[in-house]
Structures are given as structure tokens and as C-alpha cells.
């Protein structure tokens, strides 16, 4: 990947902001999902068998693929879906602009943009057979694009030496992104574990977001606390 160091001001302003956005996005997703899952009581929501998208279906009592769907907090979840797409894309772009150049930058920004569009479709068109015939297709298509793009970005981060993070981080990025893609591929293996596999494909980039954001913020804090060169020292 092509890398550009950029100005010190650019690195100081863009990277920490991108790090914070990535962490906040992961937090809002996990909290929104947990709140909506807790509100779903008839029958109880299952993280193992229910899809994440079930939480965003607007109709209560809908039966889809042998699952009874009733999510009282569907508005919260659909808002979180759309926010996730925007925030993840924004965080990635805030990191990519000062760290990448040329084709690599264009590819990452394009993937981030496609991810955001995918989640916009997920939040607007719901994962249920009810509604217009095209609705479920747009939802599934948006989800496939969003998950593929996010995990690809995570894998690409494994070769991004300009983050100046340890080799262990780069290995982690490649591993978690690859596992995310493999996990998503296993969604249709069994209805009893569909929710687990789907979450593997989504939590991969949420976990990466937290690890990346915290690592960058800790690195910056350590640098700020380190010894500084005295001013007005003769050359």
C-alpha cells in the first residue's frame, strides 16, 4: 500500500478524531443492540438463532424463516444501523486521508463509502418478507456489501505500517478480518447458529475499531507525555 507521512498538523488532528469516531461507533452499536434485544420478550430474543436484522423489523408478530419477530425498539436499531455506516466510514476515512496516497487511498475510501451505503439500505429496508418484493433484496444486498467492505478494510489495515502500531496489531487485523469473512460465509450452515455466525462477520470490524482506536489514542498519549526538546537551544 502506498503511504504518505503527511504534515504533523494533519496527523495530530485527523488520526485521534478518527480513532475516537471508531470507538464511539462500536459502543453505540453494542449498546443499541443490547437495549433492543432486552426489550424483545415474546419470544425472548436469541443472540444465537436470531439475526441482528431481526431487531430492526418494524412489524410485531411477523413470522419469517420459522422465527417469530417482534422488536419493540426497532426504531433505535434502524437508527443505529444508519449511524454505524456513517460513523465507521467517517472513522476509516479520517485515518486513510493522512496515511495513504494514490490508489490505496482511493480503494479504502471507496470501500468505506460502499459500506455506508450498505448500512443505509439495511436501516431503511428491513430483513422481513413483509413489504414490497424489492425490500428484502435491498436489505440482504446492502448487508452483503457492507460486511464484505468492512472486513476487507480491516484486512488491508494489516499492511498499514504508517499507523506505527506493533506487528501484533497488524497480524490481529488480518486475522480478525479474515475470520469475519469466513464467519459470514457460514451463516447458512444451521438455523440454530445463524446469529452466531452473522455476529462473527459483524463484530470483527467492531472489535477492530475498538482495538485500533484505543491503540492510536494510547500511542498519542504516550508521545505527549514523553520528554520534549528544550526550546531556544543553539544549533
Amino acid at each position: 500500500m502506498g503511504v504518505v507521512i503527511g504534515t504533523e498538523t494533519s496527523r495530530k488532528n485527523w488520526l485521534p478524531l478518527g480513532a475516537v469516531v471508531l470507538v464511539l461507533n462500536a459502543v453505540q452499536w453494542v449498546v443499541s443492540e443490547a437495549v433492543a434485544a432486552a426489550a424483545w420478550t415474546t419470544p425472548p430474543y436469541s443472540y444465537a438463532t436470531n439475526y441482528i436484522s431481526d431487531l430492526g423489523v418494524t412489524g410485531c408478530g411477523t413470522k419469517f424463516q420459522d422465527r417469530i419477530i417482534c422488536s419493540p425498539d426497532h426504531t433505535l436499531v434502524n437508527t443505529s444501523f444508519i449511524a454505524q455506516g456513517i460513523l465507521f466510514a467517517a472513522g476509516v476515512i479520517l485515518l486513510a486521508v493522512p496515511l495513504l496516497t494514490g490508489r490505496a487511498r482511493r480503494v479504502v475510501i471507496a470501500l468505506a463509502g460502499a459500506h455506508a451505503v450498505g448500512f443505509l439500505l439495511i436501516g431503511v429496508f428491513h430483513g422481513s418478507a413483509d413489504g414490497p418484493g424489492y425490500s428484502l433484496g435491498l436489505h440482504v444486498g446492502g448487508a452483503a456489501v457492507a460486511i464484505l467492505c468492512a472486513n476487507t478494510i480491516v484486512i488491508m489495515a494489516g499492511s498499514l505500517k504508517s499507523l506505527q502500531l506493533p506487528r501484533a496489531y497488524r497480524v490481529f487485523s488480518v486475522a480478525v478480518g479474515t475470520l469475519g469473512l469466513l464467519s459470514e460465509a457460514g451463516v447458512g450452515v444451521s438455523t440454530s447458529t445463524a446469529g452466531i455466525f452473522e455476529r462473527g462477520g459483524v463484530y470483527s470490524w467492531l472489535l477492530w475499531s475498538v482495538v485500533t482506536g484505543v491503540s492510536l489514542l494510547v500511542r498519542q498519549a504516550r508521545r505527549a507525555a514523553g520528554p520534549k526538546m528544550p526550546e531556544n537551544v543553539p544549533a
Side-chain angles (χ1 to χ4, degrees):
M1 299 176 71
V3 176
V4 60
I5 298 300
T7 65
E8 186 63 27
T9 300
S10 176
R11 293 177 66 83
K12 185 178 294 185
N13 294 336
W14 287 67
L15 297 186
L17 179 58
V20 170
V21 169
L22 287 177
V23 174
L24 288 179
N25 175 53
V27 171
Q28 72 84 22
W29 173 288
V30 172
V31 171
S32 297
E33 184 182 10
V35 169
W40 177 323
T41 58
T42 309
Y45 182 82
S46 169
Y47 274 70
T49 59
N50 280 102
Y51 289 100
I52 300 171
S53 296
D54 290 349
L55 293 169
V57 175
T58 57
C60 185
T62 298
K63 187 173 183 180
F64 182 52
Q65 297 177 344
D66 296 326
R67 303 187 309 278
I68 302 298
I69 300 176
C70 183
S71 180
D73 286 343
H74 55 264
T75 301
L76 169 65
V77 173
N78 288 320
T79 301
S80 177
F81 286 160
I82 295 171
Q84 195 287 141
I86 295 170
L87 291 174
F88 181 78
V92 168
I93 292 170
L94 284 167
L95 299 185
V97 170
L99 293 175
L100 299 176
T101 187
R103 182 180 179 182
R105 179 192 288 176
R106 292 193 297 272
V107 168
V108 169
I109 290 176
L111 289 170
H115 174 85
V117 172
F119 261 93
L120 176 62
L121 294 175
I122 292 170
V124 173
F125 301 99
H126 310 120
S128 169
D130 291 351
Y134 58 81
S135 181
L136 181 60
L138 289 174
H139 178 89
V140 173
V145 169
I147 292 170
L148 173 63
C149 289
N151 283 297
T152 300
I153 289 171
V154 171
I155 293 170
M156 291 178 70
S159 62
L160 189 57
K161 295 182 180 180
S162 56
L163 281 173
Q164 297 181 10
L165 294 175
R167 176 178 174 80
Y169 165 82
R170 299 197 295 273
V171 172
F172 159 79
S173 294
V174 173
V176 76
T178 301
L179 288 174
L181 292 176
L182 292 175
S183 182
E184 193 62 26
V187 168
V189 171
S190 171
T191 57
S192 63
T193 58
I196 296 174
F197 279 105
E198 184 190 35
R199 284 176 168 81
V202 173
Y203 289 1
S204 55
W205 80 73
L206 296 177
L207 175 60
W208 173 85
S209 295
V210 173
V211 171
T212 300
V214 170
S215 297
L216 288 172
L217 293 173
V218 168
R219 190 195 69 181
Q220 183 192 30
R222 287 176 176 173
R223 287 185 173 181
K228 298 181 179 180
M229 295 294 293
E231 296 182 0
N232 300 325
V233 176

